[in-house]
Amino acid sequence: MTSLGVLGVPVPAELLAKWASWLAPAVQPFIVGAEDELLDVRSQPLAQELLDTYELYGGKGEHLAWLTEPELAALPRIRRAALVRAQVTRGRSAVPTVRQWGSVVGLRARDQADGHRFVWWPSLLADHAEQVLAEFVDNGRRPSQHRSVSGATWAAARRLLPCGEQLAGTFPNGSGPNCFGAVMAAAGVAGAGGAWMQREPFEAWLSERTVSGGDLNAPGTVLVWRSPAGEVEHAAVTLGDGWALHKPSQGWMSPTKVLSVDDVIRSSRCWGRRLSRRRVVSAHLSGS
């Protein structure tokens, strides 16, 4: 597997191999209902990467059958067709259409289930991994504009965001790293960029390193979105000259990216959320 560029971000071969194992694991979860009672609903840890791939949030991940490709194929055609089709109605992601991919992966996709939907297995992905992974990750996401940020803008941002440039335009090594950690990491907090940062340490950092206010066209203004109850839900930080850095989600398919401030604000809007600004007053340098 060769390296690839996705959403304007380089992806090395070793990370692409991980992506393939998360989109098309050899054993994968199927959401089951009462009509699937004969399937073995065995207990198996659900890795965060698989939870994000298949969007098994809320109660969707409570009743799962873990199947291999031969186990699915061994089911009578009518049962496996119903099971794969049901994944769409039950809210499991990564159940593509034969219409979209049939010309790429051939008749095996059509013959797998009901002829309209199928799931990815390593055997299907093997010869088309780069194309499939790029389209899966690219779907509905804006490419990072970090290469459009001038050297002068990065230089001016460095005083408050010493690690912003090296963080921008990178994918995480797995699920977990989130928007709070990305903002803190850009401001110099060691290890924050690779952590699933919780609300409490982020709030503590906001209290210690920022003050109320900020200029959207200046570096170091932290954009903070809160729920109606006041809980912080998302964060981004401005780089200056109309640019901002944020990580849209904790998923493995979500890079830390640079967009215009306007695009970050538009993409982060959600009913009930309230946006406020905080200004970074000092970077968190090693030992400080």
Side-chain angles (χ1 to χ4, degrees):
M1 197 175 293
T2 60
S3 60
L4 190 68
V6 184
L7 297 175
V9 178
V11 186
E14 55 269 27
L15 185 55
L16 275 177
K18 290 183 179 181
W19 284 9
S21 73
W22 298 330
L23 178 62
V27 184
Q28 63 181 264
F30 292 79
I31 305 172
V32 296
E35 68 274 22
D36 306 308
E37 60 182 8
L38 297 180
L39 290 177
D40 180 15
V41 185
R42 58 182 181 263
S43 176
Q44 181 165 321
L46 182 62
Q48 183 67 40
E49 287 79 14
L50 298 187
L51 186 150
D52 290 331
T53 298
Y54 301 121
E55 299 181 2
L56 297 175
Y57 309 121
K60 290 191 290 184
E62 291 180 2
H63 302 288
L64 301 174
W66 292 84
L67 300 176
T68 64
E69 183 177 12
E71 287 171 335
L72 179 67
L75 295 176
R77 176 69 180 260
I78 191 169
R79 287 193 64 202
R80 69 175 186 267
L83 180 64
V84 170
R85 189 166 56 246
Q87 300 313 295
V88 180
T89 59
R90 291 168 183 165
R92 201 200 93 156
S93 187
V95 190
T97 64
V98 173
R99 172 179 288 185
Q100 181 183 5
W101 290 104
S103 63
V104 176
V105 298
L107 297 179
R108 290 179 58 205
R110 189 191 68 187
D111 294 339
Q112 183 191 105
D114 66 351
H116 300 287
R117 293 279 186 167
F118 69 100
V119 298
W120 291 111
W121 295 110
S123 62
L124 279 177
L125 202 63
D127 296 327
H128 316 283
E130 287 85 358
Q131 179 183 355
V132 174
L133 290 166
E135 292 203 25
F136 179 80
V137 173
D138 184 76
N139 185 33
R141 298 181 177 91
R142 293 178 173 88
S144 178
Q145 302 297 313
H146 57 283
R147 290 191 178 90
S148 297
V149 181
S150 70
T153 300
W154 284 122
R158 208 164 288 138
R159 182 178 66 84
L160 296 175
L161 305 171
C163 301
E165 185 174 9
Q166 68 190 58
L167 184 64
T170 61
F171 277 100
N173 287 322
S175 289
N178 61 7
C179 58
F180 306 144
V183 171
M184 293 168 67
V189 180
W196 191 349
M197 192 63 62
Q198 302 301 304
R199 288 186 171 104
E200 292 78 6
F202 181 68
E203 292 279 23
W205 177 82
L206 282 177
S207 178
E208 293 168 5
R209 298 283 174 171
T210 72
V211 295
S212 181
D215 181 347
L216 293 182
N217 288 309
T221 296
V222 182
L223 306 175
V224 181
W225 285 265
R226 295 185 181 276
S227 70
E231 290 187 318
V232 61
E233 292 191 337
H234 188 57
V237 64
T238 62
L239 303 171
D241 298 323
W243 298 108
L245 178 147
H246 83 145
K247 189 173 190 300
S249 82
Q250 85 292 335
W252 59 264
M253 66 293 291
S254 175
T256 300
K257 64 175 69 172
V258 172
L259 299 174
S260 72
V261 171
D262 288 343
D263 279 344
V264 168
I265 291 174
R266 275 194 291 267
S267 67
S268 303
R269 282 180 182 146
C270 186
W271 185 89
R273 275 183 178 176
R274 175 175 53 86
L275 173 60
S276 62
R277 304 178 194 177
R278 304 281 300 182
R279 178 170 55 86
V280 177
V281 293
S282 64
H284 193 116
L285 302 176
S286 179
S288 65

